[in-house]
């Protein structure tokens, strides 16, 4: 079974992924900007010390370089601490105004500048890890580690709460729309749709109602047509039947010239009468069954085959039957219409190959070969095939049978289950 995506799960997944990405990015940039802020503070201190020294040196060339505290000035590369010289060559130090070095638990921030006499001066901000107190370390850890983590968790919680709130705001009208749509029936399609908070849901409700009304109108038109057509056909069919009976009383069946024609006309009128009865029964709202009787399916199928054998004349088609003796309790009228449609369709739409008819207890199968070398069948009518099959499908469903139609590898197979619960 194909797993369909859930709107609820999709929304939650979207918000969770968005939240995780935002929090991860927020945490990274927070830590980055905190570290960069400390670096900028040290660079500002170095620039301030350098500016003050250059001002004093401009007034007095004997002004000593800063010393003591965290900032120390050096007037040559050789006088720099060994940890700095071990990591940077002189050309490297002169190429950038600010550099950072770490060695032996000591942090070095180096600022390189040119004095007006052309000499290179190095201002070094030095801090030792042991210089910071325990409380300072705790404050640093709090702002550097704990604050981003706590802020991230709070952000995730806020986004999830917001997602839940938005989902409830959206899910409630969706559920209401679903419940309202389930209550639609032919009896209440004339009512106005429920008004929702959002215009989009109102549009969907109006579309559902309009579509249901159009479908119901089509069903009503079909039922009215079936009823009217069946009623209107009953009179001319009765007239034809009465005239055929009158002709029979006058001895037309004793004349070999008209005997076969009269027999075919009598069968055609009988089929038309049965069809009108079935259409009237289909058009009714009641589920009352048609009168049933015991039907010998094998003899019934042979009779239907004989009536429609003329459809195979002149075709390279072979008829193969495998009919077990089966007695079925059903409406003879409906069974005749269903089986006649299936057999006639198979005969009419086969130009070559085999037509196979098979009967087993609870199962009736009719198969025919639909492929022809020329790609066409002169006697085939694709529209007629669909209408006959549709009528058979409606009748099968109405009487509680099942029908399965498959087309594969040039074979068209119709399988009718007369006892669906007993057939695997």
């Amino acid at each position: 079974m194909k797993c369909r995506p859930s709107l609820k799960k999709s929304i939650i997944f979207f918000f969770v992924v968005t939240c995780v990405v935002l929090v991860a990015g927020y945490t990274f940039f927070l830590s980055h900007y905190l570290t960069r802020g400390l670096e900028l503070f040290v660079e500002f201190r170095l620039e301030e010390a350098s500016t003050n020294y250059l001002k004093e040196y401009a007034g007095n060339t004997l002004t000593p370089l800063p010393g003591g505290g965290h900032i120390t000035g050096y007037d040559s590369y050789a006088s720099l601490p060994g940890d700095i010289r071990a990591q940077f060559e002189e050309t490297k130090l002169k190429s950038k105004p600010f550099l950072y070095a770490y060695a032996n638990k000591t942090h070095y921030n180096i600022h390189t500048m040119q004095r007006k006499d052309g000499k290179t001066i190095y201002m070094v901000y030095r801090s030792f890890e042991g210089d910071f107190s325990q409380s300072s370390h705790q404050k640093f850890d709090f702002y550097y580690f704990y604050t981003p983590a706590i802020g991230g968790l709070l952000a995730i919680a806020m986004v999830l709460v917001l997602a839940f709130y938005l989902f409830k705001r959206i899910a409630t009208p969706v559920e209401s729309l679903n419940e309202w749509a389930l209550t639609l029936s032919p009896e209440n399609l004339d009512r106005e749709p429920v008004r929702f908070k959002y215009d989009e849901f109102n549009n969907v409700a109006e579309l559902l109602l309009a579509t249901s009304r159009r479908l119901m109108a089509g069903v009503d038109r079909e039922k009215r047509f079936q009823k009217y057509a069946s009623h209107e056909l009953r009179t001319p069919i009765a007239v034809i039947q009465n005239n055929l009976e009158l002709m029979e009383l006058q001895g037309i069946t004793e004349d070999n010239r008209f005997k076969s024609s009269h027999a075919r006309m009598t069968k055609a009128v009988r089929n038309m009468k049965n069809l009108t009865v079935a259409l009237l029964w289909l058009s009714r709202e009641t589920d009352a069954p048609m009168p049933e009787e015991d039907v010998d399916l094998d003899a019934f199928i042979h009779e239907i085959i004989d009536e429609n054998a003329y459809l195979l004349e002149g075709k390279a088609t072979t008829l193969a039957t495998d009919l077990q003796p089966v007695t079925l309790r059903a409406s003879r009228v409906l069974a005749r219409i269903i089986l006649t449609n299936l057999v006639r369709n198979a005969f009419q739409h086969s130009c070559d190959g085999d037509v196979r008819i098979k009967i087993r207890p609870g199962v009736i199968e009719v198969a025919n070969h639909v492929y022809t070398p020329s790609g066409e069948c002169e006697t085939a009518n694709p529209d007629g095939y669909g209408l006959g099959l549709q009528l058979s499908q409606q009748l099968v469903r109405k009487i509680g049978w099942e029908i399965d139609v498959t087309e594969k590898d040039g074979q068209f197979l119709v399988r009718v289950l007369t006892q669906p619960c007993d057939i695997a």
Side-chain angles (χ1 to χ4, degrees):
M1 182 178 178
K2 186 177 179 180
C3 181
R4 298 182 180 275
S6 167
L7 177 62
K8 179 178 180 180
K9 292 180 180 179
S10 299
I11 293 176
I12 293 176
F13 176 77
F14 170 77
F15 273 99
V16 169
V17 171
T18 303
C19 181
V20 170
V21 171
L22 290 177
V23 169
Y26 162 80
T27 303
F28 170 78
F29 284 111
L30 181 63
S31 300
H32 172 75
Y33 284 123
L34 179 60
T35 304
R36 184 56 184 157
L38 294 175
E39 292 175 354
L40 290 175
F41 171 75
V42 173
E43 291 176 2
F44 173 76
R45 291 282 305 277
L46 289 172
E47 284 187 330
E48 183 181 30
S50 301
T51 301
N52 292 336
Y53 168 73
L54 291 177
K55 287 181 179 179
E56 294 180 5
Y57 183 82
N60 182 11
T61 58
L62 299 177
T63 300
L65 290 167
H70 288 287
I71 298 178
T72 304
Y74 300 91
D75 58 359
S76 66
Y77 176 78
S79 61
L80 287 170
D83 292 337
I84 297 176
R85 287 184 281 110
Q87 294 189 34
F88 302 109
E89 297 180 354
E90 184 176 5
T91 54
K92 179 70 173 179
L93 289 174
K94 291 181 178 181
S95 64
K96 293 184 178 181
F98 293 98
L99 287 172
Y100 169 80
Y102 174 79
N104 299 321
K105 296 184 179 182
T106 304
H107 301 271
Y108 299 96
N109 292 83
I110 307 107
H111 175 45
T112 305
M113 63 178 181
Q114 288 288 116
R115 208 164 55 186
K116 69 177 184 178
D117 60 354
K119 193 172 184 62
T120 302
I121 302 298
Y122 305 95
M123 292 290 182
V124 179
Y125 183 96
R126 177 165 41 188
S127 59
F128 301 95
E129 292 184 356
D131 290 346
F132 299 100
S133 64
Q134 185 66 24
S135 61
S136 298
H137 276 291
Q138 291 177 351
K139 290 181 180 180
F140 180 81
D141 292 340
F142 175 77
Y143 288 108
Y144 192 78
F145 298 108
Y146 302 138
T147 299
I150 294 173
L153 293 176
L154 289 176
I156 291 176
M158 290 178 62
V159 171
L160 290 180
V161 169
L162 178 62
F164 179 78
Y165 173 75
L166 291 177
F167 179 77
K168 290 294 291 183
R169 296 267 298 191
I170 297 174
T172 300
V174 170
E175 293 174 357
S176 300
L177 177 62
N178 180 60
E179 293 174 358
W180 172 81
L182 291 176
T183 62
L184 291 177
S185 64
E187 293 76 21
N188 59 19
L189 289 180
D190 56 343
R191 67 181 181 179
E192 290 298 320
V194 177
R195 306 309 297 176
F196 297 95
K197 184 176 181 179
Y198 302 104
D199 289 337
E200 290 78 7
F201 293 110
N202 292 327
N203 295 336
V204 173
E206 292 173 358
L207 179 62
L208 286 173
L209 188 59
T211 302
S212 300
R213 287 171 176 171
R214 286 197 299 271
L215 292 175
M216 198 61 208
V219 172
D220 290 339
R221 285 194 299 270
E222 181 181 351
K223 288 183 177 180
R224 285 197 300 270
F225 173 77
Q226 289 179 351
K227 181 182 292 186
Y228 297 156
S230 301
H231 274 292
E232 295 299 325
L233 287 173
R234 297 179 80 173
T235 299
I237 290 174
V239 171
I240 296 174
Q241 185 176 12
N242 292 335
N243 280 275
L244 287 173
E245 293 174 356
L246 179 60
M247 294 169 66
E248 185 177 357
L249 292 175
Q250 293 175 350
I252 194 173
T253 55
E254 298 176 0
D255 191 333
N256 292 331
R257 293 176 300 172
F258 308 110
K259 183 176 182 179
S260 59
S261 298
H262 182 272
R264 286 197 299 270
M265 292 173 65
T266 301
K267 290 179 180 178
V269 170
R270 180 196 62 193
N271 292 336
M272 291 174 63
K273 183 177 180 180
N274 291 339
L275 183 59
T276 57
V277 171
L279 290 176
L280 275 174
W281 180 69
L282 274 178
S283 64
R284 293 172 184 161
E285 299 295 336
T286 179
D287 292 330
M290 294 275 286
E292 295 182 349
E293 58 183 287
D294 292 332
V295 179
D296 295 329
L297 282 183
D298 51 332
F300 207 41
I301 289 291
H302 277 299
E303 182 181 345
I304 294 173
I305 290 174
D306 292 340
E307 291 177 1
N308 294 275
Y310 69 94
L311 294 173
L312 296 179
E313 294 178 358
K315 296 182 181 179
T317 303
T318 303
L319 174 63
T321 59
D322 182 6
L323 310 178
Q324 290 187 1
V326 174
T327 301
L328 179 66
R329 187 72 180 176
S331 167
R332 180 175 292 272
V333 171
L334 299 181
R336 174 175 288 278
I337 293 174
I338 294 171
L339 297 179
T340 299
N341 269 328
L342 299 183
V343 172
R344 184 175 62 245
N345 284 339
F347 287 2
Q348 185 175 358
H349 296 275
S350 297
C351 293
D352 55 9
D354 296 332
V355 175
R356 302 190 312 276
I357 303 176
K358 181 178 179 182
I359 294 180
R360 292 289 184 272
V363 184
I364 304 171
E365 294 183 357
V366 180
N368 62 284
H369 188 235
V370 296
Y371 172 79
T372 59
S374 62
E376 296 181 355
C377 187
E378 295 180 357
T379 61
N381 183 354
D383 294 332
Y385 201 111
L387 292 174
L389 185 58
Q390 288 179 16
L391 177 60
S392 298
Q393 289 173 329
Q394 291 183 25
L395 292 174
V396 163
R397 287 194 295 266
K398 184 89 173 186
I399 62 179
W401 296 356
E402 290 185 4
I403 186 168
D404 179 54
V405 181
T406 57
E407 183 176 358
K408 185 178 180 181
D409 299 330
Q411 290 288 329
F412 195 90
L413 172 64
V414 180
R415 191 168 184 255
V416 178
L417 307 181
T418 60
Q419 299 173 1
C421 295
D422 300 332
I423 304 300

